[in-house]
Amino acid sequence: MRKKAAAVASSALMIAVGLGAASAQAATDGGDFTAKLACPSSGKISSTHSCTSLSGGVVHHLKSIGQNGVTIRTRYEKNGSGSTITAKLGYSYSGSTYWGGSFTQSNNTTRSKEWVRSSWQTHCYTTTGLLSVTGQGQFQTPAASC
């Protein structure tokens, strides 16, 4: 067990160091800190964080359990290519889709949407992050759980 605890502590430290290094690229959207992270080819950063790389940026989907239930976040980090888009962020759960409002987004910006599912107080169900871009289609992340 001692080795396992050390591995967890090392991983936590590595994540903290990684976020500290990324803070120069951080974007704030409605008070929500979002560090710009690379998306691996598997689309899985962790069981609670999935992503999809697109030609114009990266869609991230994150989940966490808190006192008020499960918080679901979908965000889009638009890089420096392409023109301004009109889009909306959402998530899918058990055959149902939930969307935030439409927005326009220019290059080198981050937009995010957060939902809290208070009915999931003791359970965390699998969800998929969604990005719908007007005129370009709908994109999704791999599934994320808690």
Side-chain angles (χ1 to χ4, degrees):
M1 282 201 165
R2 181 172 249 159
K3 285 184 180 181
K4 189 174 187 179
V8 171
S10 296
S11 295
L13 179 59
M14 289 173 61
I15 290 170
V17 169
L19 287 176
S23 64
Q25 297 178 316
T28 303
D29 184 58
D32 179 29
F33 177 81
T34 56
K36 295 197 180 218
L37 301 171
C39 184
S41 60
S42 68
K44 297 295 275 184
I45 293 173
S46 70
S47 64
T48 62
H49 186 174
S50 61
C51 58
T52 297
S53 292
L54 305 172
S55 61
V58 179
V59 181
H60 287 272
H61 185 61
L62 303 100
K63 296 176 69 177
S64 60
I65 297 177
Q67 290 181 325
N68 297 323
V70 175
T71 300
I72 302 164
R73 293 179 190 91
T74 302
R75 74 175 186 252
Y76 181 54
E77 298 170 355
K78 186 163 176 18
N79 65 25
S81 66
S83 58
T84 298
I85 61 168
T86 300
K88 59 184 175 179
L89 296 167
Y91 74 96
S92 176
Y93 159 69
S94 189
S96 296
T97 301
Y98 303 88
W99 293 104
S102 291
F103 57 87
T104 58
Q105 185 173 359
S106 57
N107 292 327
N108 300 312
T109 61
T110 299
R111 295 294 302 252
S112 66
K113 175 65 180 150
E114 180 177 290
W115 299 264
V116 176
R117 297 292 304 251
S118 58
S119 61
W120 294 0
Q121 191 70 24
T122 58
H123 294 88
C124 182
Y125 301 102
T126 300
T127 60
T128 301
L130 302 171
L131 170 69
S132 179
V133 181
T134 302
Q136 295 181 29
Q138 185 172 304
F139 308 94
Q140 69 180 40
T141 66
S145 60
C146 296

